[in-house]
Amino acid sequence: MGISAWLGVIRDVVLPRGCAGCDAPDAVVCGECRELLDRTVVFDMPGTSIGRGYACAWYGGAVRQVILGWKDHRDEECDGPLSEAMAVLAARCLQSTVSGMHTVLVVPAPSSSASVHRRGRRHTAVLAAAVARACRDMGIDARVVPLLTMDHVRGRSVQMGGGQRSRRVSGRIAVRRPELCRHAHVIVVDDIVTTGATMRQCVDALRSSGTQVVTCLSVAYTPQPDAATVRDSVARDGTSAA
């Protein structure tokens, strides 16, 4: 066992952690909070091949605490539970969608350079890797390709209203190397879909580069009171939530 592993053991003995969602003892994400990440929330996503996207959970309560701790407070132990939730979602919702495709590019939604600097990493790449693994388990050649960039964006999106968030990303998302994705099938992955502004910008940028965006996946979706087309199903039997 390496030094870092021993330090982790000592830390857990001296300062045992609690669940990132509810602070229940001795769990990164406890069983009850993990169940909250095992839903299938279906939302409209114009511009994609199937016209909709999927999320593991509703954004709020314990799920919100898990995500904020993970992305903004460097609780990287949550990589495991969140990656597992995304892999389960992908296996549940993409089987019929990607069937027959030889190659799929999984593209993480971009973060601003300030956010990347603050967090010390591109956190959505962890989720994209889990989705790519799930696709490979279905027999699809899938790989993570960070094609998108977000430039000259200020302010944290979680602190903004819907209109502010839309203006924050408007025209700021671009494809880094269009030649890598032209005529490709793409799945876009993000942590939270609030108004859908960021996802739509991602989809529009990729489509403008000649890419076919199949769908979008996220950990959580924020309830929209006026969005009658959002559906929620707790499908744990492997059936599609279409």
Side-chain angles (χ1 to χ4, degrees):
M1 185 180 292
I3 294 176
S4 61
W6 276 114
L7 290 175
V9 171
I10 294 170
R11 177 204 62 201
D12 292 342
V13 171
V14 177
L15 297 170
R17 69 162 294 148
C19 168
C22 68
D23 209 32
D26 302 324
V28 177
V29 177
C30 72
E32 289 187 11
C33 291
R34 179 63 186 84
E35 285 190 7
L36 296 175
L37 292 164
D38 196 24
R39 310 188 79 87
T40 304
V41 179
V42 188
F43 53 91
D44 282 343
M45 186 47 58
T48 61
S49 299
I50 63 175
R52 59 183 178 272
Y54 303 100
C56 303
W58 294 101
Y59 184 64
V63 170
R64 178 178 181 274
Q65 293 303 315
V66 171
I67 293 175
L68 292 182
W70 169 68
K71 66 183 286 187
D72 287 332
H73 300 288
R74 300 194 177 189
D75 190 354
E76 294 182 16
E77 287 186 271
C78 290
D79 283 1
L82 292 177
S83 293
E84 179 185 352
M86 288 295 285
V88 170
L89 180 73
R92 181 183 296 158
C93 299
L94 298 182
Q95 183 73 58
S96 60
T97 302
V98 300
S99 178
M101 296 180 186
H102 296 294
T103 303
V104 170
L105 305 183
V106 183
V107 177
S111 298
S112 67
S113 57
S115 295
V116 173
H117 178 74
R118 184 176 66 250
R119 295 170 184 144
R121 63 174 182 164
R122 299 182 185 275
H123 68 293
T124 54
V126 175
L127 308 177
V131 172
R133 287 194 298 271
C135 288
R136 289 195 293 270
D137 288 343
M138 295 180 231
I140 307 299
D141 177 16
R143 62 184 186 276
V144 177
V145 184
L147 291 170
L148 297 171
T149 62
M150 180 184 288
D151 299 320
H152 309 298
V153 172
R154 295 183 179 180
R156 297 174 63 180
S157 62
V158 295
Q159 297 173 337
M160 297 180 178
Q164 291 175 305
R165 188 176 290 105
S166 181
R167 290 190 294 272
R168 174 181 183 265
V169 300
S170 179
R172 303 298 188 184
I173 293 176
V175 178
R176 188 196 312 264
R177 294 182 61 187
E179 71 277 8
L180 293 181
C181 61
R182 196 166 290 119
H183 308 304
H185 293 95
V186 166
I187 296 169
V188 183
V189 174
D190 205 353
D191 53 2
I192 310 164
V193 174
T194 304
T195 63
T198 300
M199 279 290 203
R200 287 192 297 271
Q201 289 275 334
C202 292
V203 170
D204 290 346
L206 288 163
R207 290 184 69 203
S208 296
S209 297
T211 301
Q212 183 176 347
V213 183
V214 179
T215 189
C216 302
L217 303 180
S218 70
V219 176
Y221 182 87
T222 302
Q224 304 292 317
D226 57 344
T229 54
V230 175
R231 303 187 299 282
D232 178 19
S233 63
V234 186
R236 299 188 180 90
D237 58 358
T239 59
S240 171

